[in-house]
Amino acid sequence: MIEKGADFMKKFPLLFPLLFLSIILSSCSRQEISPNLAAKADLLWAQVEASWEEPEEKLAGEAGHVVFFSMSDGTSKAIVRYARGNTLASAWDKALAKGDSAMRKFGKEPVWLKVDIVRECSPCSANLLANRIEQGLDWGFRQGIAFDSKFNVAFLEEELNGSSIINYDQGAFDAKFLQEQLAANELGSVKQSPAEFYLFRCNAWFCDENNEVFDLAYDGYNQGQRMIEGVDGEYARELIDGSAKYLTANMKEDGSFIYDYYPQYDLSTDSYNIIRHAGTVWSMSQAYQLFPSEELRSSIVRAADYLVDALDYNSDGAAFLRDREGEEYTLGGSGLAILAFNEVQEALNTKNYQTAALALGEGILFMQRESGCFNQVLDMDFKVKEQFRTIYYDGEGTFALCKLYSMTGDEKWLIAASKAMDYFIANDYVLFGDHWQAYSVNELTKYITDNQNYWDYAMAIVTENKTSLVDRQYSSPTDLELLMSVFETYTRRPDQASVSSAELETLFTGIRRTAKRQTNEFFYPEFAMYVLEPRRVLNTFFARNDFRIRIDDVQHNIGGLYLFQKDYDDLVRYGY
């Protein structure tokens, strides 16, 4: 740690005039730096001084100290400049001067400024690097890469992923995107790949548009993201708000959404999935209950009306959600449309979608078999196309039946849902670890309270899937939906004492870890600044394994966090 005060001067009296001279020279060199950039850099330097621990060895090897500055005006991709030096201060000033020159060249003023200081560096052969990339998670490589020991050519991890420099399928660099980023960073060209690379990690700090400075995390999966000790109910609501705004901003005039977006290319595809559209309407309606606005209300209505227009009816008046791309009707589609209509009605205090929801319920009954399970996919003539396609459809259909009962009080919906749940329990569906099963049993136990199998099944969904829900490094946003649904079930359970402390701790650990992990796939500005259109992705969720934003990615993150914030006080009360 950098020492300060009289004790430091007593130890090193000869350093005082040198330090004073260094400050004077540094001030002179910074007079040329644009005031906005200099002000933000000074704030970052103060934070570095307060927390940087100067090691005995040179952290970047032959390069000595290496400092990166990433600068963005908030609307365009970050300009990255770096420099090396024998001291941290000299590397800092040289990198800052380079950054200022680049910003002036492009006529931009920094809204966001991020500094990375290389903290560790190690050689890695080209073959080993290729294997690590190819065998790891897609878009999961989280270290910077230098092409030589002196850092003549180097890229931060955020650049590698934000500019699609790494080809994860081939375990290699994409030549086109590599050359583009080399040119953008004024690093010349790379004629051929070296036999040895240098992988590095950085301590980093970020200064936002309000000149607030954030310490960024250093460890692998959290690397480069603002440090978050934990997620509470209020923080969850903030994440939901940003995500709902993203969905509203990406709605088309006809009520459909821009289905997916790949920010590293600034491209979307032409595909569309009506089931995911329905789920997105559901999550938007949840968000509206927290953050009501006329803009969000209007978007919800348009999206719900788009769903109504996608319904087809058989000769008995039963409705089915039409999948135009697959030319089929799915159980999951009908189930999620019912969930969407139910949530819209609750959020907007309307009965406009009741008729459509009930007709869809008749369609689900039409698909249910005597055993309790369902024919999952019908063709356009309402004949069975596939008895089974995915585990998710069963839970979606059952959860919808439960919601129809809560909507109407008609026993036939509850009987059908119970029949389905009995089938799932008898056939060990617990082993699938399906969040829709957790939603279903949570809803079912609100009305059927004397069936011990249901209470036990809810907790078993967690305990039988502990490895995937709690122990693995990565998690899915659907995990939080599952865990919170099980927690809600537990809070109503008549025999809570029968749940062991170990089982309860497994549940709480899963919730704690998953809620935190979801922030690792959220576009904070310190990461959004590395893609082509930062404002377009800012403050919403993405899927790191595909580096994309798809409407269901946002939906499931909202869904889990909505339950989390709703029940956060209960979590605390029960010892979370």
Side-chain angles (χ1 to χ4, degrees), residues 127-141:
N127 288 337
L128 179 58
L129 177 59
N131 289 336
R132 286 183 57 182
I133 292 172
E134 196 169 5
Q135 294 174 12
L137 283 179
D138 284 353
W139 304 95
F141 190 81

Side-chain angles (χ1 to χ4, degrees), residues 493-511:
R493 183 173 179 143
D495 62 334
Q496 288 182 355
S498 68
V499 178
S500 70
S501 58
E503 290 174 319
L504 200 57
E505 183 53 33
T506 294
L507 177 61
F508 285 159
T509 300
I511 293 171

Side-chain angles (χ1 to χ4, degrees), residues 168-183:
Y168 283 91
D169 293 332
Q170 299 178 8
F173 296 108
D174 185 292
K176 175 178 179 292
F177 295 121
L178 172 60
Q179 296 302 332
E180 286 181 358
Q181 196 62 22
L182 285 166

Side-chain angles (χ1 to χ4, degrees), residues 48-68:
V48 170
E49 275 195 304
S51 55
W52 179 260
E53 294 182 2
E54 185 68 19
E56 294 181 2
E57 74 280 5
K58 293 181 178 179
L59 296 175
E62 290 185 43
H65 293 271
V66 178
V67 176
F68 291 79

Side-chain angles (χ1 to χ4, degrees), residues 240-241 243-252 255-257 272 276-293 295-304 339-340 343-344 347-348 551 554-556 558-559 562:
I240 291 170
D241 188 26
S243 300
K245 288 175 179 173
Y246 172 85
L247 294 174
T248 299
N250 284 271
M251 176 173 284
K252 300 177 183 178
S256 66
F257 297 92
Y272 206 73
R276 290 168 178 152
H277 174 103
T280 303
V281 178
W282 177 38
S283 66
M284 291 176 76
S285 301
Q286 292 174 322
Y288 181 85
Q289 294 174 66
L290 300 176
F291 304 102
S293 70
E295 182 181 20
L296 183 53
R297 181 188 184 93
S298 174
S299 297
I300 290 169
V301 170
R302 283 160 53 204
L339 297 176
E343 201 73 31
V344 170
L348 305 188
I551 55 174
V554 183
Q555 168 216 322
H556 286 298
I558 290 177
Y562 178 79

Side-chain angles (χ1 to χ4, degrees), residues 30-37 71 79 97-110:
R30 291 192 188 182
Q31 286 179 1
E32 300 299 321
I33 304 296
S34 66
N36 188 18
L37 180 59
M71 302 148 288
I79 294 169
K98 284 185 176 182
D100 181 66
S101 176
M103 293 297 281
R104 290 175 185 272
K105 177 180 177 181
F106 293 104
K108 299 180 183 295
E109 278 293 323

Side-chain angles (χ1 to χ4, degrees), residues 108-259:
K108 299 180 183 295
E109 278 293 323
V111 171
W112 300 323
L113 181 63
K114 177 169 169 277
V115 62
D116 287 82
I117 302 174
V118 174
R119 187 73 199 182
E120 66 176 73
C121 175
S122 59
C124 180
S125 71
N127 288 337
L128 179 58
L129 177 59
N131 289 336
R132 286 183 57 182
I133 292 172
E134 196 169 5
Q135 294 174 12
L137 283 179
D138 284 353
W139 304 95
F141 190 81
R142 304 306 302 276
Q143 291 177 266
I145 299 177
F147 282 55
D148 59 278
S149 61
K150 294 184 178 179
F151 278 68
N152 290 306
V153 172
F155 296 103
L156 296 169
E157 174 269 321
E158 294 88 343
E159 292 183 274
L160 295 170
N161 286 314
S163 297
S164 198
I165 293 172
I166 295 176
N167 184 317
Y168 283 91
D169 293 332
Q170 299 178 8
F173 296 108
D174 185 292
K176 175 178 179 292
F177 295 121
L178 172 60
Q179 296 302 332
E180 286 181 358
Q181 196 62 22
L182 285 166
N185 291 7
E186 298 179 332
L187 294 175
S189 63
V190 173
K191 303 295 183 184
Q192 61 184 30
S193 181
E196 186 173 62
F197 295 88
Y198 288 78
L199 309 185
F200 63 92
R201 296 187 187 278
C202 298
N203 284 136
W205 296 263
F206 175 76
C207 183
D208 71 6
E209 62 271 22
N210 299 315
N211 284 344
E212 183 176 359
V213 174
F214 297 87
D215 289 351
L216 305 184
Y218 180 70
D219 59 307
Y221 198 55
N222 300 308
Q223 184 270 325
Q225 175 196 291
R226 61 190 59 189
M227 291 186 184
I228 301 167
E229 293 300 322
V231 177
D232 60 14
E234 183 57 37
Y235 198 82
R237 285 186 280 274
E238 292 178 19
L239 298 174
I240 291 170
D241 188 26
S243 300
K245 288 175 179 173
Y246 172 85
L247 294 174
T248 299
N250 284 271
M251 176 173 284
K252 300 177 183 178
E253 193 61 37
D254 65 355
S256 66
F257 297 92
I258 296 174
Y259 177 64

